[in-house]
Tab-separated table of all heavy atoms in Angstrom:
chain	number	residue	atom	x	y	z
D	1379	TYR	N	11.041	-15.395	-0.610
D	1379	TYR	CA	11.778	-16.405	-1.398
D	1379	TYR	C	13.292	-16.178	-1.134
D	1379	TYR	O	13.731	-15.068	-1.010
D	1379	TYR	CB	11.516	-16.270	-2.867
D	1379	TYR	CG	10.122	-16.786	-3.259
D	1379	TYR	CD1	9.015	-15.979	-3.069
D	1379	TYR	CD2	9.969	-18.058	-3.764
D	1379	TYR	CE1	7.718	-16.465	-3.392
D	1379	TYR	CE2	8.703	-18.555	-4.117
D	1379	TYR	CZ	7.623	-17.755	-3.927
D	1379	TYR	OH	6.384	-18.220	-4.290
D	1380	ARG	N	14.000	-17.281	-1.076
D	1380	ARG	CA	15.462	-17.237	-1.231
D	1380	ARG	C	15.780	-17.882	-2.545
D	1380	ARG	O	15.749	-19.126	-2.622
D	1380	ARG	CB	16.137	-17.966	-0.076
D	1380	ARG	CG	16.129	-17.193	1.220
D	1380	ARG	CD	17.125	-17.748	2.211
D	1380	ARG	NE	17.104	-17.005	3.424
D	1380	ARG	CZ	17.747	-15.861	3.661
D	1380	ARG	NH1	18.564	-15.373	2.711
D	1380	ARG	NH2	17.630	-15.207	4.791
D	1381	GLY	N	15.981	-17.088	-3.550
D	1381	GLY	CA	16.120	-17.618	-4.908
D	1381	GLY	C	14.774	-18.218	-5.279
D	1381	GLY	O	13.759	-17.461	-5.233
D	1382	LYS	N	14.770	-19.506	-5.573
D	1382	LYS	CA	13.494	-20.110	-5.978
D	1382	LYS	C	12.790	-20.792	-4.832
D	1382	LYS	O	11.634	-21.260	-4.967
D	1382	LYS	CB	13.762	-21.141	-7.089
D	1382	LYS	CG	14.003	-20.403	-8.447
D	1382	LYS	CD	13.979	-21.395	-9.559
D	1382	LYS	CE	14.082	-20.564	-10.899
D	1382	LYS	NZ	14.256	-21.484	-12.070
D	1383	ASP	N	13.428	-20.869	-3.696
D	1383	ASP	CA	12.842	-21.600	-2.584
D	1383	ASP	C	12.019	-20.631	-1.771
D	1383	ASP	O	12.496	-19.593	-1.264
D	1383	ASP	CB	13.936	-22.204	-1.707
D	1383	ASP	CG	14.887	-23.122	-2.490
D	1383	ASP	OD1	14.275	-23.789	-3.405
D	1383	ASP	OD2	16.051	-23.133	-2.224
D	1384	LYS	N	10.787	-21.105	-1.508
D	1384	LYS	CA	9.911	-20.287	-0.677
D	1384	LYS	C	10.329	-20.543	0.791
D	1384	LYS	O	10.576	-21.675	1.176
D	1384	LYS	CB	8.448	-20.790	-0.893
D	1384	LYS	CG	7.442	-19.877	-0.256
D	1384	LYS	CD	6.037	-20.129	-0.770
D	1384	LYS	CE	5.061	-19.337	-0.023
D	1384	LYS	NZ	3.708	-19.536	-0.510
D	1385	VAL	N	10.435	-19.480	1.509
D	1385	VAL	CA	10.815	-19.634	2.943
D	1385	VAL	C	9.535	-19.844	3.716
D	1385	VAL	O	8.630	-19.069	3.706
D	1385	VAL	CB	11.536	-18.340	3.434
D	1385	VAL	CG1	11.920	-18.474	4.847
D	1385	VAL	CG2	12.685	-18.013	2.542
D	1386	SER	N	9.505	-20.936	4.485
D	1386	SER	CA	8.340	-21.229	5.262
D	1386	SER	C	8.346	-20.355	6.482
D	1386	SER	O	9.410	-20.115	7.051
D	1386	SER	CB	8.243	-22.712	5.633
D	1386	SER	OG	9.186	-22.926	6.664
D	1387	MET	N	7.141	-19.933	6.877
D	1387	MET	CA	7.056	-19.016	8.018
D	1387	MET	C	6.140	-19.557	9.052
D	1387	MET	O	4.943	-19.739	8.842
D	1387	MET	CB	6.479	-17.650	7.520
D	1387	MET	CG	7.346	-17.103	6.404
D	1387	MET	SD	8.510	-15.986	7.038
D	1387	MET	CE	7.717	-14.489	6.517
D	1388	SER	N	6.660	-19.826	10.162
D	1388	SER	CA	5.870	-20.293	11.286
D	1388	SER	C	6.460	-19.738	12.616
D	1388	SER	O	7.626	-20.014	12.921
D	1388	SER	CB	5.818	-21.807	11.291
D	1388	SER	OG	5.568	-22.283	12.610
D	1389	THR	N	5.638	-18.977	13.312
D	1389	THR	CA	6.147	-18.361	14.558
D	1389	THR	C	6.488	-19.477	15.539
D	1389	THR	O	7.480	-19.387	16.262
D	1389	THR	CB	5.125	-17.391	15.111
D	1389	THR	OG1	4.651	-16.605	14.069
D	1389	THR	CG2	5.694	-16.565	16.185
D	1390	ARG	N	5.617	-20.468	15.616
D	1390	ARG	CA	5.785	-21.543	16.579
D	1390	ARG	C	7.099	-22.270	16.401
D	1390	ARG	O	7.862	-22.436	17.340
D	1390	ARG	CB	4.620	-22.545	16.422
D	1390	ARG	CG	3.383	-22.161	17.046
D	1390	ARG	CD	3.493	-22.278	18.581
D	1390	ARG	NE	2.355	-21.598	19.148
D	1390	ARG	CZ	1.118	-22.054	19.103
D	1390	ARG	NH1	0.869	-23.197	18.525
D	1390	ARG	NH2	0.156	-21.345	19.638
D	1391	SER	N	7.357	-22.693	15.167
D	1391	SER	CA	8.542	-23.508	14.980
D	1391	SER	C	9.800	-22.660	15.028
D	1391	SER	O	10.882	-23.193	15.176
D	1391	SER	CB	8.469	-24.223	13.612
D	1391	SER	OG	8.544	-23.258	12.591
D	1392	GLY	N	9.629	-21.349	14.944
D	1392	GLY	CA	10.801	-20.472	15.068
D	1392	GLY	C	11.525	-20.405	13.749
D	1392	GLY	O	12.591	-19.796	13.677
D	1393	GLU	N	10.960	-20.953	12.731
D	1393	GLU	CA	11.590	-20.893	11.380
D	1393	GLU	C	11.056	-19.723	10.583
D	1393	GLU	O	10.049	-19.860	9.877
D	1393	GLU	CB	11.282	-22.183	10.531
D	1393	GLU	CG	12.017	-23.384	11.009
D	1393	GLU	CD	11.476	-24.600	10.307
D	1393	GLU	OE1	10.906	-24.472	9.191
D	1393	GLU	OE2	11.559	-25.703	10.865
D	1394	PHE	N	11.644	-18.545	10.763
D	1394	PHE	CA	11.153	-17.479	9.920
D	1394	PHE	C	12.248	-16.398	9.856
D	1394	PHE	O	13.134	-16.374	10.668
D	1394	PHE	CB	9.863	-16.859	10.468
D	1394	PHE	CG	9.965	-16.470	11.870
D	1394	PHE	CD1	10.426	-15.186	12.227
D	1394	PHE	CD2	9.501	-17.293	12.877
D	1394	PHE	CE1	10.474	-14.802	13.552
D	1394	PHE	CE2	9.572	-16.959	14.202
D	1394	PHE	CZ	10.053	-15.721	14.572
D	1395	VAL	N	12.196	-15.618	8.798
D	1395	VAL	CA	13.076	-14.502	8.712
D	1395	VAL	C	12.478	-13.377	9.444
D	1395	VAL	O	11.367	-12.961	9.220
D	1395	VAL	CB	13.280	-14.137	7.196
D	1395	VAL	CG1	14.174	-12.978	7.087
D	1395	VAL	CG2	13.827	-15.346	6.420
D	1396	THR	N	13.275	-12.806	10.359
D	1396	THR	CA	12.751	-11.687	11.109
D	1396	THR	C	12.867	-10.422	10.316
D	1396	THR	O	13.679	-10.301	9.364
D	1396	THR	CB	13.511	-11.482	12.441
D	1396	THR	OG1	14.855	-11.111	12.104
D	1396	THR	CG2	13.498	-12.733	13.260
D	1397	LEU	N	12.054	-9.423	10.696
D	1397	LEU	CA	12.112	-8.152	10.016
D	1397	LEU	C	13.540	-7.502	10.197
D	1397	LEU	O	13.992	-6.850	9.328
D	1397	LEU	CB	11.007	-7.230	10.575
D	1397	LEU	CG	10.935	-5.827	10.038
D	1397	LEU	CD1	10.770	-5.851	8.559
D	1397	LEU	CD2	9.746	-5.079	10.692
D	1398	GLU	N	14.007	-7.778	11.386
D	1398	GLU	CA	15.337	-7.179	11.634
D	1398	GLU	C	16.439	-7.712	10.729
D	1398	GLU	O	17.240	-6.968	10.170
D	1398	GLU	CB	15.723	-7.500	13.084
D	1398	GLU	CG	16.812	-6.602	13.634
D	1398	GLU	CD	17.132	-6.856	15.059
D	1398	GLU	OE1	16.340	-7.491	15.801
D	1398	GLU	OE2	18.265	-6.453	15.467
D	1399	GLN	N	16.355	-9.036	10.444
D	1399	GLN	CA	17.304	-9.632	9.481
D	1399	GLN	C	17.107	-9.031	8.094
D	1399	GLN	O	18.062	-8.697	7.425
D	1399	GLN	CB	17.034	-11.121	9.371
D	1399	GLN	CG	17.554	-11.957	10.593
D	1399	GLN	CD	17.043	-13.376	10.502
D	1399	GLN	OE1	15.929	-13.629	10.215
D	1399	GLN	NE2	17.999	-14.324	10.836
D	1400	LEU	N	15.868	-8.886	7.690
D	1400	LEU	CA	15.566	-8.309	6.387
D	1400	LEU	C	16.162	-6.900	6.273
D	1400	LEU	O	16.799	-6.518	5.297
D	1400	LEU	CB	14.056	-8.297	6.102
D	1400	LEU	CG	13.685	-7.863	4.756
D	1400	LEU	CD1	13.997	-8.874	3.697
D	1400	LEU	CD2	12.172	-7.525	4.679
D	1401	LEU	N	15.951	-6.084	7.289
D	1401	LEU	CA	16.389	-4.730	7.310
D	1401	LEU	C	17.924	-4.634	7.196
D	1401	LEU	O	18.485	-3.798	6.565
D	1401	LEU	CB	15.940	-4.005	8.615
D	1401	LEU	CG	14.442	-3.617	8.632
D	1401	LEU	CD1	13.966	-3.313	10.056
D	1401	LEU	CD2	14.152	-2.449	7.679
D	1402	LYS	N	18.536	-5.645	7.918
D	1402	LYS	CA	20.010	-5.684	7.886
D	1402	LYS	C	20.500	-5.997	6.454
D	1402	LYS	O	21.460	-5.492	5.999
D	1402	LYS	CB	20.506	-6.717	8.871
D	1402	LYS	CG	21.294	-6.102	10.029
D	1402	LYS	CD	21.777	-7.123	10.961
D	1402	LYS	CE	21.682	-6.661	12.418
D	1402	LYS	NZ	21.642	-7.727	13.370
D	1403	GLU	N	19.836	-6.953	5.848
D	1403	GLU	CA	20.272	-7.383	4.539
D	1403	GLU	C	19.957	-6.453	3.415
D	1403	GLU	O	20.750	-6.251	2.501
D	1403	GLU	CB	19.594	-8.748	4.211
D	1403	GLU	CG	20.140	-9.940	4.984
D	1403	GLU	CD	19.536	-11.256	4.642
D	1403	GLU	OE1	18.772	-11.280	3.648
D	1403	GLU	OE2	19.658	-12.184	5.376
D	1404	VAL	N	18.789	-5.835	3.486
D	1404	VAL	CA	18.354	-5.003	2.347
D	1404	VAL	C	18.436	-3.523	2.632
D	1404	VAL	O	18.538	-2.747	1.692
D	1404	VAL	CB	16.869	-5.394	1.987
D	1404	VAL	CG1	16.398	-4.637	0.759
D	1404	VAL	CG2	16.774	-6.929	1.718
D	1405	GLY	N	18.391	-3.164	3.917
D	1405	GLY	CA	18.481	-1.745	4.220
D	1405	GLY	C	17.044	-1.145	4.421
D	1405	GLY	O	16.137	-1.604	3.789
Side-chain angles (χ1 to χ4, degrees):
Chain D
Y1379 286 82
R1380 284 198 180 272
K1382 284 189 174 173
D1383 303 325
K1384 192 166 175 178
V1385 181
S1386 75
M1387 304 265 255
S1388 156
T1389 313
R1390 278 288 167 72
S1391 67
E1393 286 171 24
F1394 54 86
V1395 178
T1396 64
L1397 178 57
E1398 199 178 341
Q1399 286 170 316
L1400 184 73
L1401 286 163
K1402 246 181 217 158
E1403 287 180 13
V1404 184

